[in-house]
Amino acid sequence: MAPVRPFVTDATLTAIAIGYRNPALSFIADRVLPPTPVFSEKFKWNRYPLKEGFAAPDNRVGRTGQVPRVDFSATEETSAVEDYGLEAAIPNSDINEAARMRELGQTNVDPEQQAVMGIADYNLIKREQRVAALVHNPNTYAASRRLTLSGTSQFSDYANSDPIGVMKSAIAGTLIYRPNTAAMGPSVWQYMSSHPHLVNAVKGNLTNRGMITKEQFAALFDLKEVLVGEAFLDTAPKGQPASLSRVWGKHLALLHVNPQASPRNGITFGFTARYGSAIAGRFEDRNVGLEGGVIVRAGQREKELVVAADVGFLLANAVQ
């Protein structure tokens, strides 16, 4: 006999948790730190020493001499996924009323599915916030791979700033693997897309007015992808009026992103270790409302990691 579990996962609710995306927001976390599966809650990943990758050992061999031997090593780092999830209580009276209204053809709302959709959206926003905080944190980068702009050097100063020169230096400033991805907030892209120097370069010195597209920006700097995080976050305390701000702020990160990299192989700025898929389910709670109710829960087990910070470069405070 199958064991009776207090929390029962539900295939339909799980599908909603996995597939739900708020079309009004643009989440870029999965493209900045791509998910890669791990097969246990605790996992290991390899950190390769810089010296080995560029050593030039003497490989001359005498006619009867011994062939020189070399050793290869990697430092094993240990980490573990963390559990992220939320739940919501739904009274049975709400569930029964919604079912009655569906039978009458007056609604198609399912309170349990609706709650899971809302939870999935909250979980996505929190993940976006974690990734943005990690990728746009100057302390994530070595001192030689970050630059803080100020005053006339900020790209919002169209008359004095030099976005082409700064971008070229930043791209050349990473270690061996050049950046292929730019990740920024909307305020940065707002200025970059209309910067006269960039418009002029893309338009062939014909004009410095107008706008350029993300594709044109990517082609100009030989990038594969330009990511602009559009998500909003409510920073007001619970019970207070909403105070919305962008999750991705005024920084610009240039990263080498390799979606095929794994904890054991491949060079990438970072990845998200993900254990299993998103889960969602329900359990009964007699303390919800007069007639009792259910608790729906949805979440994910994952860990965001920067594993090769030297293949990234941060332009902090890129705009005012």
Side-chain angles (χ1 to χ4, degrees), residues 226-290:
V226 176
L227 303 175
V228 179
E230 300 281 356
F232 282 98
L233 176 70
D234 181 9
T235 59
K238 188 174 181 179
Q240 297 298 313
S243 177
L244 300 183
S245 63
R246 297 284 191 177
V247 175
W248 294 85
K250 298 183 177 182
H251 311 311
L252 191 161
L254 294 162
L255 315 169
H256 178 78
V257 177
N258 178 8
Q260 279 70 52
S262 70
R264 293 291 195 177
N265 187 46
I267 299 296
T268 188
F269 175 79
F271 62 83
T272 301
R274 186 164 283 174
Y275 179 48
S277 63
I279 62 170
R282 64 195 297 277
F283 60 90
E284 295 183 4
D285 187 343
R286 63 183 181 181
N287 294 317
V288 176
L290 182 62

Side-chain angles (χ1 to χ4, degrees), residues 12 17 20 30 42 53 66 113 131-132 137 161 189 218 264 267 288 309:
T12 300
Y20 181 67
D30 280 0
K42 292 184 178 180
Q66 183 177 350
Q113 294 184 5
V131 172
N137 181 355
S161 62
W189 178 243
R264 293 291 195 177
I267 299 296
V288 176

Side-chain angles (χ1 to χ4, degrees), residues 17-316:
I18 293 173
Y20 181 67
R21 294 293 186 275
N22 188 335
L25 301 179
S26 175
F27 298 104
I28 64 173
D30 280 0
R31 287 181 283 168
V32 175
L33 297 182
T36 186
V38 294
F39 302 103
S40 62
E41 293 181 1
K42 292 184 178 180
F43 61 94
K44 294 182 178 182
W45 52 278
N46 287 342
R47 186 191 299 275
Y48 295 94
L50 175 65
K51 185 176 178 62
E52 282 185 5
F54 305 98
D58 186 359
N59 60 355
R60 291 174 298 176
V61 182
R63 190 176 66 84
T64 60
Q66 183 177 350
V67 177
R69 292 180 179 177
V70 294
D71 294 319
F72 296 99
S73 63
T75 303
E76 274 195 341
E77 303 285 348
T78 301
S79 192
V81 296
E82 297 181 15
D83 292 354
Y84 297 101
L86 295 167
E87 63 182 30
I90 307 171
N92 281 330
S93 57
D94 288 7
I95 295 172
N96 295 335
E97 179 63 12
R100 187 181 71 84
M101 297 296 285
R102 287 198 301 272
E103 290 178 1
L104 296 173
Q106 296 184 7
T107 186
N108 60 0
V109 171
D110 183 317
E112 293 181 56
Q113 294 184 5
Q114 193 173 47
V116 169
M117 289 170 65
I119 290 172
D121 197 23
Y122 285 154
N123 286 338
L124 283 171
I125 293 173
K126 287 302 294 183
R127 166 161 162 72
E128 195 81 2
Q129 184 185 29
R130 293 195 304 271
V131 172
L134 185 60
V135 172
H136 276 181
N137 181 355
N139 293 327
T140 297
Y141 303 79
S144 60
R145 307 196 203 286
R146 64 185 187 227
L147 175 66
T148 300
L149 305 182
S150 62
T152 57
S153 68
Q154 290 175 298
F155 302 143
S156 45
D157 186 333
Y158 284 175
N160 298 292
S161 62
D162 178 19
I164 294 177
V166 172
M167 285 282 295
K168 288 175 66 176
S169 295
I171 289 170
T174 59
L175 179 66
I176 306 303
Y177 292 83
R178 76 184 305 279
N180 58 16
T181 301
M184 68 191 83
S187 58
V188 180
W189 178 243
Q190 175 186 349
Y191 284 105
M192 294 292 269
S193 62
S194 295
H195 197 292
H197 291 196
L198 299 178
V199 174
N200 184 275
V202 168
K203 304 297 184 182
N205 296 321
L206 296 177
T207 180
N208 60 7
R209 296 178 180 273
M211 294 177 62
I212 62 173
T213 66
K214 296 183 182 72
E215 292 75 18
Q216 290 170 327
F217 183 91
L220 184 63
F221 295 107
D222 195 20
L223 301 170
K224 286 178 60 179
E225 196 164 27
V226 176
L227 303 175
V228 179
E230 300 281 356
F232 282 98
L233 176 70
D234 181 9
T235 59
K238 188 174 181 179
Q240 297 298 313
S243 177
L244 300 183
S245 63
R246 297 284 191 177
V247 175
W248 294 85
K250 298 183 177 182
H251 311 311
L252 191 161
L254 294 162
L255 315 169
H256 178 78
V257 177
N258 178 8
Q260 279 70 52
S262 70
R264 293 291 195 177
N265 187 46
I267 299 296
T268 188
F269 175 79
F271 62 83
T272 301
R274 186 164 283 174
Y275 179 48
S277 63
I279 62 170
R282 64 195 297 277
F283 60 90
E284 295 183 4
D285 187 343
R286 63 183 181 181
N287 294 317
V288 176
L290 182 62
E291 302 175 74
V294 299
I295 305 295
V296 295
R297 181 184 298 166
Q300 183 84 59
R301 292 172 172 170
E302 56 193 5
K303 177 73 171 182
E304 293 88 5
L305 290 168
V306 171
V307 297
D310 285 326
V311 298
F313 198 105
L314 181 68
L315 297 173

